[in-house]
């Protein structure tokens, strides 16, 4: 069976990473969580005090340090899924917290950050056989991907999913704060000048507001099987 490139884009907290990971595992493809890459850069910026008192990133200092930021993925034997590493340290848990969530769209909007991450993503998927999810995979990173999916869900559903995820991890969570964060990220992601979040013309739309994880996985598997037959 031929190998293809699968691009899954969509709004924050809509479950695209979960379905992308599950599909990659099921079909033996490489999975790349591009959102985790931007979260790792954000975590680096927070750790190195690269945000000003106004909450905005110090672009000049971050740009100077971009070459010092190495992001990689290593398979977690327990979960069967890849964990995110920043300069050799596993930061999978740290990058999922609300502090990073509140800043990641600001970092992801910076042209020099996107340029560096897109170049890295394109190298990762050069040989096909990859499932990649993010905001601009089907429009910028792999515009010629054989299968493109754009995932969305209502803001209320997405906020609830994020809330449940944090509670499950034993972290403090406030639904209203999370909802505001989801809405703010939607606005920033959709209105940034470089690679704004949008559905590619040839992407298949999936609104999974009322779908279970098994249902969305089955839906995606069907789309994959259709794509490899073409």
């Amino acid at each position: 069976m031929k190998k293809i490139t699968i691009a899954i884009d969509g709004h924050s907290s809509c479950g695209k990473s979960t379905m992308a990971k599950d599909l990659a595992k099921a079909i033996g493809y490489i999975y790349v969580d591009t959102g985790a890459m931007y979260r790792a850069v954000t975590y680096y910026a927070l750790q190195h005090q690269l945000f000003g008192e106004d909450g905005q990133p110090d672009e000049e200092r971050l740009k100077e340090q971009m070459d010092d930021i190495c992001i990689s993925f290593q398979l977690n034997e327990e979960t069967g899924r890849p964990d995110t590493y920043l300069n050799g340290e596993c930061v999978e848990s740290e990058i999922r917290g609300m502090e990073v969530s509140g800043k990641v769209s600001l970092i992801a909007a910076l042209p020099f950050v996107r340029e560096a991450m897109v170049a890295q993503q394109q190298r990762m998927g050069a040989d096909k056989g990859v499932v990649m999810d993010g905001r601009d995979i089907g429009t910028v990173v792999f515009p010629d991907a054989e299968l493109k999916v754009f995932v969305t869900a209502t803001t209320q559903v997405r906020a609830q999913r994020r809330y449940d995820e944090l509670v499950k991890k034993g972290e403090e969570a406030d639904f209203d704060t999370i909802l505001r964060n989801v809405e703010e990220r939607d606005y920033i992601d959709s209105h940034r000048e470089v690679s704004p979040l949008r559905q590619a013309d040839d992407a298949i739309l999936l609104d999974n507001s009322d779908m279970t994880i098994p249902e969305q996985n089955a839906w995606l598997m069907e789309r994959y099987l259709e794509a490899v037959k073409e």
Side-chain angles (χ1 to χ4, degrees):
M1 192 176 289
K2 69 175 182 179
K3 286 188 175 182
I4 64 172
T5 298
I6 302 171
I8 301 179
D9 291 308
H11 294 97
S12 65
S13 304
C14 64
K16 61 185 180 298
S17 294
T18 297
M19 62 192 297
K21 289 175 185 177
D22 289 345
L23 178 65
K25 186 176 181 180
I27 64 178
Y29 274 26
I30 295 169
Y31 165 70
V32 178
D33 180 353
T34 65
M37 297 173 72
Y38 291 103
R39 283 177 172 273
V41 176
T42 305
Y43 182 68
Y44 177 94
L46 286 166
Q47 292 297 102
H48 290 78
Q49 292 79 50
L50 299 182
F51 285 94
E53 293 183 2
D54 60 356
Q56 296 297 310
D58 186 329
E59 297 184 29
E60 290 303 317
R61 290 176 61 205
L62 178 58
K63 190 172 185 178
E64 291 173 357
Q65 297 181 42
M66 281 303 296
D67 288 343
D68 298 328
I69 301 175
C70 178
I71 301 166
S72 59
F73 296 94
Q74 294 182 31
L75 185 67
N76 183 316
E77 297 295 342
E78 292 184 8
T79 64
R81 292 177 171 178
D83 285 340
T84 309
Y85 281 72
L86 172 62
N87 294 334
E89 176 187 355
C90 181
V91 293
E92 185 63 31
S93 177
E94 290 82 353
I95 66 173
R96 306 297 175 180
M98 284 303 296
E99 186 178 23
V100 170
S101 294
K103 299 289 188 183
V104 64
S105 289
L106 297 174
I107 294 295
L110 299 175
F112 64 88
V113 173
R114 297 208 73 84
E115 182 180 353
M117 296 298 102
V118 167
Q120 199 171 135
Q121 292 154 16
Q122 289 174 332
R123 287 194 295 271
M124 291 176 177
D127 297 325
K128 295 187 180 292
V130 64
V131 182
M132 198 171 291
D133 76 271
R135 301 289 192 279
D136 60 352
I137 311 306
T139 55
V140 176
V141 183
F142 292 112
D144 297 323
E146 291 87 348
L147 175 59
K148 300 179 186 178
V149 177
F150 189 89
V151 190
T152 190
T154 67
T155 54
Q156 291 281 339
V157 166
R158 289 187 282 133
Q160 187 64 52
R161 289 173 179 170
R162 185 70 178 141
Y163 175 86
D164 293 342
E165 179 184 358
L166 291 172
V167 170
K168 187 177 180 179
K169 292 179 179 178
E171 299 180 23
E172 290 187 11
D174 177 75
F175 178 82
D176 291 336
T177 300
I178 294 171
L179 179 59
R180 285 196 299 273
N181 174 250
V182 167
E183 293 171 341
E184 289 169 0
R185 290 185 65 187
D186 282 356
Y187 183 85
I188 295 173
D189 290 344
S190 301
H191 289 80
R192 64 186 180 220
E193 292 185 13
V194 181
S195 303
L197 170 66
R198 67 176 179 84
Q199 181 180 342
D201 294 337
D202 53 347
I204 306 168
L205 178 64
L206 172 64
D207 185 331
N208 65 7
S209 298
D210 300 314
M211 297 176 74
T212 64
I213 290 176
E215 287 172 342
Q216 70 178 17
N217 286 351
W219 181 93
L220 184 58
M221 179 61 76
E222 288 181 14
R223 304 292 86 75
Y224 160 72
L225 293 174
E226 291 170 358
V228 294
K229 289 178 182 177
E230 295 178 359

